[in-house]
Amino acid sequence: MSDWPADSVTPPTAPVPVSAQPAEADGTAAEPTPPARRRRRWPLVALVAVLGLAVAGGVTAAVVEQLRKDVTIDVDGTYTTVSTYAGTVDDLLAEEGVRVGENDQVTPAADEDLRDGAVVEVRYGRELTVETDGTKRDVWIAALDADEVLDDLDARADQVRLLPSRSADRATLPIRLDADQPVSLVVGGKESIVDNGAVTLDELLAEEGVELDGDDIVHVDQIEPQNPGDPSVRVVVQVVDVKKVSTTKKIAYDTVTRTDADRYVDEGSYVATEGKAGERTIVHRVTRTDGKVTDREKVSNKVTTKPVDEVVVKGTKERPEPEPEPAPAESSSSSSSSSSSSSSSSSSSSGSSSSGGSGTGSAPAGVWSALAQCESGGNPATNTGNGYYGLYQFTLSTWQAVGGTGLPSDASAAEQTKRAQILQARSGWGQWPACAAKLGLL
């Protein structure tokens, strides 16, 4: 790519005289395109000179006529045909009131002699923002339309695009898009063809109902036509959508174990506080261009709900050894016969069995085993779900009344039997009416 000064001016396309029209099929010249307007100008200096010659030397009308020229002026695509006696291009422009500045382009040069049939081309310079191979710069360019600008710049760089001026929801270029061809319009990745390309960018967007916001990206570039008459200029509107997106993640809770010096070790542990998971919220700023994610930036990462630790309590108190069962009382009369002793023992057993609520809880171990089997199937961890727990189906209130802590079903079998014996000593076998009756204890 050749060096391109920032203040360079693009030379316009070589002018084509209006009189140079293609020939008809029969060989005759085709009629020229009718001019926009035709004028006859008599500059004061030329007129005085001609009149002076006429007076001094008798110049004929034919000689005067030879000084007249028919020329065409093309000012940014607007053609005017005039008759003039101007000697130079600069004289002609002055006659027609066409002012040019240092950034404008005039062909032929302003100081050249004006010839009959000439086409004088004027291209006003405009400051445009151009991106070439990824580099942006502002330059003054004199050209008919964006197609002419891009066509010239394309020979200097691999990737060329025009960047419009942006103001909120507007995008403007101070030049027409394509004076002769339709243009391609691509919005959000969808292409359409606009027949009239001889409009400015903002006029095109307004006519096509394209609404922009401040995030949208707009540029104008050049494409290769597939067929004659296809667009060579493309207007691209990339629809950019920026949103904040939140996602949440669970934070696991910890389990904390605490000890209770008043709770027996064999009573097991229990959950004093249920654990609850926390929550972390992560916010990203997500940019989508034409519906596809093109950028993702983390904005925040915060714990929005703290986790709650699960608290498990276990006892550290050792249970004392159970007291031994008292020895049975000896008979008061050593001389009693074995039959009397047997009879007395039977009578005593019968009396104990029929005593109902007067028992002391010193019944044989087999009785308690049989009662537990009847009440819970012998399973100390039984929890029926209806308020009865353990071997002897204690209610929680009854269990606590005889000194139990926690749940009866969490206590050892020995602890449950001890509390059952206390209950039986206080209230008798009637605490277990069905099973006690079945076992003949009532």
Side-chain angles (χ1 to χ4, degrees):
M1 181 181 71
S2 62
D3 293 336
W4 178 26
D7 58 350
S8 66
V9 176
T10 303
T13 305
V16 178
V18 173
S19 59
Q21 302 294 331
E24 296 289 347
D26 58 2
T28 60
E31 290 293 327
T33 303
R37 60 181 186 270
R38 187 180 182 94
R39 298 176 183 169
R40 180 182 297 276
R41 293 283 187 176
W42 287 84
L44 180 60
V45 175
L47 182 59
V48 170
V50 169
L51 291 176
L53 288 173
V55 171
V59 178
T60 65
V63 175
V64 175
E65 185 65 19
Q66 288 179 357
L67 298 176
R68 183 174 63 84
K69 308 173 187 72
D70 290 333
V71 297
T72 300
I73 305 175
D74 171 9
V75 180
D76 272 350
T78 300
Y79 290 85
T80 303
T81 300
V82 299
S83 292
T84 180
Y85 291 91
T88 65
V89 172
D90 193 33
D91 293 338
L92 172 67
L93 297 179
E95 286 180 11
E96 294 298 316
V98 179
R99 297 181 180 181
V100 294
E102 61 178 350
N103 294 312
D104 302 328
Q105 185 78 29
V106 178
T107 306
D111 58 353
E112 288 190 19
D113 292 338
L114 187 64
R115 300 178 181 279
D116 184 44
V119 176
V120 177
E121 184 180 82
V122 177
R123 294 289 181 261
Y124 288 123
R126 297 173 177 86
E127 189 175 24
L128 301 174
T129 300
V130 179
E131 183 182 88
T132 55
D133 296 331
T135 301
K136 298 179 184 178
R137 66 178 71 190
D138 292 333
V139 295
W140 281 88
I141 299 178
L144 177 65
D145 54 24
D147 184 47
E148 188 174 299
V149 173
L150 291 166
D151 193 53
D152 180 71
L153 296 179
D154 188 55
R156 311 183 187 195
D158 294 331
Q159 294 182 347
V160 179
R161 59 177 60 179
L162 302 182
L163 303 182
S165 300
R166 295 298 306 272
S167 174
D169 57 351
R170 293 194 62 192
T172 59
L173 277 176
I175 195 170
R176 289 178 295 179
L177 296 171
D178 194 330
D180 303 314
Q181 300 287 346
V183 298
S184 169
L185 174 62
V186 180
V187 180
K190 297 181 179 179
E191 183 182 22
S192 60
I193 304 300
V194 180
D195 291 334
N196 182 20
V199 292
T200 60
L201 175 62
D202 51 348
E203 290 172 341
L204 176 76
L205 297 177
E207 290 173 2
E208 296 300 314
V210 178
E211 296 182 358
L212 304 177
D213 63 30
D215 295 322
D216 295 337
I217 302 172
V218 184
H219 72 263
V220 178
D221 60 13
Q222 199 170 43
I223 56 178
E224 187 69 29
Q226 298 298 315
N227 301 293
D230 286 351
S232 59
V233 173
R234 176 174 61 183
V235 176
V236 179
V237 178
Q238 293 177 285
V239 179
V240 179
D241 182 36
V242 181
K243 289 183 179 179
K244 289 184 177 180
V245 179
S246 299
T247 57
T248 58
K249 291 184 178 180
K250 295 292 183 182
I251 304 175
Y253 60 81
D254 295 327
T255 300
V256 179
T257 301
R258 296 178 182 171
T259 58
D260 183 355
D262 295 327
R263 183 177 177 84
Y264 290 116
V265 174
D266 60 6
E267 290 183 300
S269 60
Y270 68 94
V271 177
T273 304
E274 292 285 346
K276 294 182 180 179
E279 191 172 78
R280 178 181 296 277
T281 301
I282 305 170
V283 179
H284 287 87
R285 182 182 290 109
V286 179
T287 302
R288 287 182 170 83
T289 304
D290 293 344
K292 297 180 179 180
V293 176
T294 53
D295 187 52
R296 185 180 182 88
E297 177 187 1
K298 184 184 291 185
V299 177
S300 63
N301 185 347
K302 297 180 180 180
V303 175
T304 47
T305 303
K306 294 182 177 180
V308 177
D309 291 341
E310 182 171 276
V311 179
V312 177
V313 178
K314 67 177 183 179
T316 59
K317 185 178 181 180
E318 295 293 338
R319 188 180 297 281
E321 294 293 333
E323 296 181 3
E325 294 284 343
E330 295 184 359
S331 173
S332 61
S333 175
S334 59
S335 61
S336 299
S337 62
S338 59
S339 60
S340 297
S341 176
S342 175
S343 174
S344 174
S345 176
S346 174
S347 174
S348 175
S349 175
S350 174
S352 175
S353 175
S354 63
S355 63
S358 62
T360 63
S362 60
V367 173
W368 291 106
S369 177
L371 181 62
Q373 186 67 32
C374 178
E375 288 289 337
S376 64
N379 182 7
T382 298
N383 184 344
T384 61
N386 58 357
Y388 294 93
Y389 307 87
L391 286 171
Y392 305 102
Q393 293 293 280
F394 278 98
T395 63
L396 191 57
S397 60
T398 301
W399 172 258
Q400 293 172 346
V402 294
T405 59
L407 293 177
S409 55
D410 290 337
S412 65
E415 173 71 10
Q416 293 184 46
T417 299
K418 178 181 177 180
R419 301 301 168 192
Q421 289 173 349
I422 294 173
L423 178 61
Q424 192 276 335
R426 291 179 181 177
S427 304
W429 298 106
Q431 292 296 313
W432 303 276
C435 287
K438 181 178 179 181
L439 298 174
L441 301 175
L442 291 178

